[in-house]
């Protein structure tokens, strides 16, 4: 326990500490003498951990931070209190800095230790201690102390300090100490990201009830957020934020956004910034899904882990259970697409080395495809206006598009190429976009052929909505307006990494996409407001965004 004898009147005086924020009545020498008294009491109560290696470690880290701080006129010392349970660190007047053994052992790196020590140095360099002492002593009841014996000032000053340890610094002083600590870390060559990892680590469940350092340093989540903004990183992923990243609430949008997180379907409502889980079934993996225009019906392709049996599951808002409408065997599902009128669902899957296409109506009943003419090896499907289904297929050694309308026969149109498309999209009944290799092309379909024109290269992914076209090109995510064959885009997100799952809202004003800094990272779902180029991170470990009303 800290010192038990605390003068009640001093606590009352500390309550009025804001009365004179710049007043400093304590000299440097007086501060040091008070600090010696406080240090002696701390060391008597806890003892000092006599570990030469760890002591040299914190002295080395501490002195490197002092070398870059604003106040070097103190005889700084760094010691480890032999306390094995209480996670704590504190700065006594005059530059006496302590960290408990428990806190030291909870931190994993010199960088994290540097933040804790830098924060405490920040209290001294920012004159927080002298200001708090001076404000208390400025009260009329203690003004005579300034003219009394030095020993009496030291005694009262040490009492005030132990009161301060119990009540905590002001929020303004805590923010300033954080800012200074991070600045010292950067200047001394430590990784400032460790400020966030240290705060996160000490906020873990296993430390609750023990963390005195947090008990007197309030509002940890906002501290993490503030430091992350200072460093320009995402507080969850610790990755650099894009230039247009916007904090706070996402503006209202015209439609809901659905996406996958692991095996659950989440929804970001049109007037909310907080995603909500709408569907999950234990031991079922969601392969693909589609959403009704009003966002009240989900069609999902799900399967149990390790099974080749795929179920078409239908969930309706307000329903009591999921309807498993149809099943089929497939080793892999490569495409799942909904028709513009919402009445048909097309699936492309593979089984035993061969691809196949299945079409279902909105109630999950399978619609037979004509089988008189072999379709060939289908790689992708794309619905176009008029509810015609385009099936991209290799047939007789050539890439073709098989065009089918429900209850009609299939006709074939030659693409004039030999490569499978990586991605497809459509604008109307005659206009399609195809990404083959790294070339984005636009095609005009007539009865038997397609007229192609090149739009851009090299392209890794794209999305189209009306006149808006988004491309992953030249290492960045770009959005622009397509006029004729000319496309001039501006950068929305230029972070190094991988962009995928691009999808527009129906009005083209919002673009959802996933981002990974490197392939091994979990994907982050981002939402961009195209007119303003403002960006919001929606979720982590999220994929397959789909806007309702597409």
């Amino acid at each position: 326990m800290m010192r038990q004898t605390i003068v009640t009147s001093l606590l009352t005086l500390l309550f009025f500490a804001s009365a004179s924020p710049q007043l400093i009545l304590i000299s440097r020498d007086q501060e040091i003498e008070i600090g010696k008294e406080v240090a002696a009491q701390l060391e008597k109560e806890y003892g000092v951990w006599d570990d030469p290696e760890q002591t040299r470690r914190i002295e080395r880290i501490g002195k490197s931070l002092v070398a870059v701080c604003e106040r070097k006129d103190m005889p700084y010392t760094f010691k480890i209190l032999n306390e094995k349970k209480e996670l704590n660190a504190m700065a006594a007047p005059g530059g006496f800095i302590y960290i408990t053994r428990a806190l030291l052992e909870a931190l994993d790196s010199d960088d994290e230790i540097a933040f804790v020590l830098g924060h405490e140095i920040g209290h001294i360099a920012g004159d927080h201690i002298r200001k708090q002492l001076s404000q208390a002593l400025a009260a009329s009841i203690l003004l005579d102390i300034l003219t009394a014996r030095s020993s009496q000032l030291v005694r009262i000053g040490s009492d005030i300090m132990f009161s301060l340890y119990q009540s905590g610094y002001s929020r303004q002083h805590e923010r300033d100490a954080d800012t200074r600590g991070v600045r010292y870390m950067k200047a001394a060559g430590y990784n400032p990201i460790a400020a966030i990892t240290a705060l996160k680590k000490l906020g873990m469940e296993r430390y609750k009830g023990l963390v005195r350092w947090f008990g007197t340093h309030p509002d940890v989540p906002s501290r993490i957020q503030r430091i992350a903004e200072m460093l320009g990183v995402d507080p969850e992923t610790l990755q650099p934020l894009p230039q247009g990243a916007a904090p706070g609430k996402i503006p209202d949008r015209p439609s809901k956004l659905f996406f996958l997180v692991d095996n659950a379907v989440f929804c970001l409502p049109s007037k909310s910034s907080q995603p909500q889980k709408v569907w999950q079934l234990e031991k079922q993996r969601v392969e693909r899904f589609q959403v009704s225009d009003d966002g009240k019906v989900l069609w999902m392709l799900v399967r149990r882990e390790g099974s080749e049996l795929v179920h078409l599951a239908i969930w309706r808002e307000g329903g009591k259970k999921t309807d498993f409408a149809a099943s089929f065997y497939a080793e892999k599902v490569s495409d799942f697409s909904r028709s513009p009128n919402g009445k048909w669902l097309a699936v492309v899957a593979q089984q035993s080395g061969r691809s196949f296409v299945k079409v279902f109506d909105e109630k999950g009943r399978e619609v037979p495809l004509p089988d008189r003419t072999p379709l060939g090896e289908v790689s992708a499907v794309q619905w176009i206006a008029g509810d015609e289904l385009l099936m991209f297929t290799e047939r007789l050694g050539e890439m073709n598009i098989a065009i089918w309308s429900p209850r009609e026969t299939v006709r074939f149109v030659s693409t004039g190429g030999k490569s499978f498309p990586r991605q497809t999209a459509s604008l109307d009944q005659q206009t399609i976009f195809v990404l083959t290799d790294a070339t984005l092309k636009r095609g005009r379909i007539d009865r038997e052929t397609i007229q192609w024109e090149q739009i851009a290269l090299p392209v890794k992914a794209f999305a189209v909505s009306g006149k808006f076209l988004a491309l992953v090109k030249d290492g960045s995510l770009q959005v622009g307006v397509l006029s004729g064959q000319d496309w001039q885009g501006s950068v929305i997100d230029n972070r190094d990494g991988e962009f995928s799952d691009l999808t527009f809202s129906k009005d083209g004003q919002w673009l959802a996409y996933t981002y990974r800094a490197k392939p091994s990272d979990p994907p982050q779902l981002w939402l961009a407001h195209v007119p303003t180029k403002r960006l919001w991170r929606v979720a982590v470990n999220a994929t397959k965004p789909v806007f309702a009303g597409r």
Side-chain angles (χ1 to χ4, degrees), residues 12 93 104 134 142 183 229 263 277 361 383 389-390 401 419 425 428:
T12 304
L104 179 63
S134 297
L142 293 176
R183 189 166 69 239
E229 291 175 6
N263 293 318
K277 184 189 293 185
D361 67 14
W383 291 97
L389 179 64
L390 308 186
I401 297 178
S419 299
D428 51 45

Side-chain angles (χ1 to χ4, degrees), residues 104-250:
L104 179 63
E105 291 175 342
L107 301 172
D108 289 335
S109 66
D110 286 4
D111 299 300
E112 291 179 348
I113 296 170
F115 170 66
V116 171
L117 297 182
H119 177 98
E120 300 303 332
I121 293 170
H123 282 309
I124 295 171
D127 274 330
H128 304 159
I129 295 175
R130 284 205 297 176
K131 289 174 183 177
Q132 299 262 104
L133 286 170
S134 297
Q135 288 156 9
L137 292 172
S140 58
I141 193 172
L142 293 176
L143 279 177
D144 59 334
I145 296 297
L146 297 176
T147 59
R149 295 190 308 272
S150 175
S151 60
Q152 189 174 2
L153 175 63
V154 171
R155 180 180 59 79
I156 296 297
S158 65
D159 283 340
I160 292 174
M161 278 309 304
F162 281 107
S163 299
L164 178 60
Y165 290 147
Q166 297 295 321
S167 62
Y169 291 96
S170 70
R171 195 170 294 268
Q172 179 183 354
H173 285 169
E174 292 296 354
R175 287 196 295 264
D176 185 54
D178 277 346
T179 299
R180 291 172 186 270
V182 171
R183 189 166 69 239
Y184 303 157
M185 292 174 71
K186 294 171 69 174
Y190 296 100
N191 182 1
I193 297 295
I196 298 175
T197 62
L199 289 172
K200 282 187 172 185
K201 186 179 289 114
L202 297 178
M204 286 164 45
E205 184 72 26
R206 65 192 178 99
Y207 291 128
K208 286 186 177 178
L210 296 175
V211 189
R212 290 287 300 280
W213 201 59
F214 280 161
T216 58
H217 295 62
D219 202 12
V220 173
S222 68
R223 291 174 66 194
I224 291 174
Q225 181 64 40
R226 185 172 176 273
I227 292 172
E229 291 175 6
M230 186 191 317
L231 298 176
V233 300
D234 187 311
E236 290 194 27
T237 66
L238 306 182
Q239 299 292 342
L241 287 170
Q243 184 174 357
K249 185 180 184 299
I250 306 174

Side-chain angles (χ1 to χ4, degrees), residues 410-474:
V410 174
R411 62 186 174 92
F412 290 88
V413 176
S414 174
T415 67
K418 295 184 180 298
S419 299
F420 282 116
R422 293 169 48 194
Q423 190 181 345
T424 66
S426 68
L427 275 185
D428 51 45
Q429 198 163 359
Q430 290 184 302
T431 308
I432 62 171
F433 289 81
V434 173
L435 177 59
T436 304
D437 299 323
T439 302
L440 178 63
K441 298 183 293 184
R442 179 173 56 188
R444 298 282 295 178
I445 304 173
D446 59 25
R447 290 297 304 174
E448 297 181 356
T449 61
I450 301 179
Q451 300 297 320
W452 295 104
E453 54 186 1
Q454 180 176 303
I455 300 298
L457 65 85
V459 175
K460 291 187 175 181
F462 78 97
V464 62
S465 177
K467 62 182 180 179
F468 295 102
L469 179 62
L471 303 179
V472 179
K473 184 177 183 292
D474 300 328

Side-chain angles (χ1 to χ4, degrees), residues 211-439:
V211 189
R212 290 287 300 280
W213 201 59
F214 280 161
T216 58
H217 295 62
D219 202 12
V220 173
S222 68
R223 291 174 66 194
I224 291 174
Q225 181 64 40
R226 185 172 176 273
I227 292 172
E229 291 175 6
M230 186 191 317
L231 298 176
V233 300
D234 187 311
E236 290 194 27
T237 66
L238 306 182
Q239 299 292 342
L241 287 170
Q243 184 174 357
K249 185 180 184 299
I250 306 174
D252 293 350
R253 302 159 307 284
S255 56
K256 301 175 182 178
L257 175 65
F258 291 80
F259 55 91
L260 295 180
V261 177
D262 295 325
N263 293 318
V265 181
F266 280 75
C267 172
L268 180 68
S270 58
K271 296 183 179 181
S272 174
S273 295
Q274 185 62 45
Q276 303 169 358
K277 184 189 293 185
V278 296
W279 189 91
Q280 186 174 29
L281 196 60
E282 187 178 357
K283 298 182 180 179
Q284 295 286 349
R285 186 175 79 244
V286 182
E287 300 269 330
R288 302 288 178 107
F289 75 98
Q290 287 293 323
V291 186
S292 62
D293 287 344
D294 59 8
K296 294 183 177 181
V297 181
L298 295 178
W299 295 272
M300 298 168 287
L301 298 178
V302 303
R303 73 167 95 209
R304 294 181 71 86
E305 294 292 340
S307 174
E308 293 186 0
L309 184 62
V310 179
H311 302 281
L312 174 58
I314 304 175
W315 171 87
R316 293 177 175 85
E317 186 178 287
K320 294 183 179 180
K321 64 178 183 178
T322 302
D323 178 22
F324 290 87
S327 302
F328 56 90
Y329 285 95
E331 297 166 354
K332 178 183 178 183
V333 174
S334 56
D335 209 346
F336 186 41
S337 181
R338 175 174 169 260
S339 65
N341 67 2
K343 293 183 177 181
W344 315 104
L345 299 155
V347 180
V348 180
Q350 290 79 41
Q351 179 70 6
S352 301
R354 299 290 298 175
S355 68
F356 62 88
V357 178
K358 286 185 175 290
V359 177
F360 300 92
D361 67 14
E362 58 187 342
K363 296 183 179 180
R365 296 172 298 201
E366 187 169 357
V367 179
L369 292 172
D371 57 2
R372 295 179 182 177
T373 304
L375 290 177
E377 190 68 15
V378 179
S379 62
V381 293
Q382 178 67 56
W383 291 97
I384 61 175
D387 297 304
E388 290 187 322
L389 179 64
L390 308 186
M391 295 174 279
F392 293 79
T393 176
E394 183 183 22
R395 186 167 176 267
L396 304 176
E398 185 179 82
M399 285 301 301
N400 289 266
I401 297 178
I403 304 176
W404 172 78
S405 297
R407 291 178 290 276
E408 293 186 7
T409 59
V410 174
R411 62 186 174 92
F412 290 88
V413 176
S414 174
T415 67
K418 295 184 180 298
S419 299
F420 282 116
R422 293 169 48 194
Q423 190 181 345
T424 66
S426 68
L427 275 185
D428 51 45
Q429 198 163 359
Q430 290 184 302
T431 308
I432 62 171
F433 289 81
V434 173
L435 177 59
T436 304
D437 299 323
T439 302

